[in-house]
């Protein structure tokens, strides 16, 4: 059996704790506080270098693992922000700006290879819930589930 290195387990727990906290706040107040994202972004950026290669497998390979992971994190951050910014624009603001910024932090956390699955799971579940309820639903809980699932897969 293959087990994750201890540091990966701790980083997944840290990411899950942050994401679940954001999810609860979004469910209660329908807002994602900027201060949470401002704190999470640099912490996530520093944690990028602690992930094992099994979890953090960069798309672009450079001279060193650290350089590869750093570039991957920046690209994933920009991609996460851009994808949800497009949905924000297309929805006429129905998808909140906090969700867009959260997607940037999620990109930092998971990297390019896990970003698309994380967002697809999150957006898919959020869309299903919105459709089932026939009204707007906070997206952060579903982005949290998608991100945690992408990290564990």
């Amino acid at each position: 059996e293959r087990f994750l290195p201890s540091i990966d387990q701790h980083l997944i727990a840290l990411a899950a704790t942050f994401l679940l906290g954001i999810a609860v706040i979004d469910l209660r107040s329908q807002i994602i506080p900027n201060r949470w994202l401002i704190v999470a972004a640099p912490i996530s950026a520093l944690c990028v270098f602690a992930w094992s290669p099994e979890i953090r497998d960069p798309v672009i390979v450079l001279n060193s693992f650290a350089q590869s992971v750093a570039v991957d994190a920046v690209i994933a951050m920009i991609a996460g922000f851009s994808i949800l910014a497009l949905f924000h624009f297309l929805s006429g603001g129905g998808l909140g700006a906090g969700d867009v910024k959260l997607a940037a932090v999620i990109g930092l956390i998971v990297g390019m290879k896990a970003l698309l699955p994380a967002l697809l799971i999150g957006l898919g579940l959020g869309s299903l819930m919105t459709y089932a309820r026939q009204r707007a639903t906070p997206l952060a809980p579903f982005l949290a589930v998608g991100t945690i699932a992408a990290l564990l897969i």
Side-chain angles (χ1 to χ4, degrees):
E1 285 183 47
R2 193 180 126 222
F3 292 99
L4 292 174
S6 178
I7 187 69
D8 288 340
Q9 294 172 7
H10 293 296
L11 291 172
I12 290 171
L14 178 64
T17 301
F18 160 71
L19 291 165
L20 293 174
I22 289 285
V24 168
I25 292 169
D26 196 26
L27 281 170
R28 288 185 177 171
S29 62
Q30 295 188 346
I31 192 164
I32 298 172
N34 283 334
R35 65 181 173 266
W36 276 60
L37 298 172
I38 289 169
V39 170
I43 291 171
S44 298
L46 289 173
C47 288
V48 160
F49 300 104
W51 290 105
S52 70
E54 291 82 18
I55 290 284
R56 198 58 184 248
D57 184 20
V59 174
I60 298 170
V61 178
L62 300 173
N63 293 334
S64 71
F65 180 70
Q67 288 176 343
S68 301
V69 169
V71 169
D72 185 76
V74 170
I75 292 170
M77 179 184 70
I78 293 168
F81 181 89
S82 300
I83 291 167
L84 259 68
L86 177 64
F87 280 102
H88 173 74
F89 175 74
L90 293 175
S91 72
L95 184 128
D99 296 311
V100 175
K101 294 176 272 187
L102 177 59
V105 174
I106 288 170
L108 276 173
I109 292 170
V110 301
M112 279 304 294
K113 285 192 177 175
L115 178 64
L116 192 56
L119 294 181
L120 285 175
I121 293 167
L123 291 169
L125 291 173
S127 297
L128 286 173
M129 184 59 77
T130 298
Y131 179 75
R133 294 178 65 204
Q134 294 295 308
R135 63 177 192 200
T137 304
L139 186 59
F142 303 102
L143 290 174
V145 168
T147 303
I148 294 166
L151 284 170
L152 294 174
I153 295 170

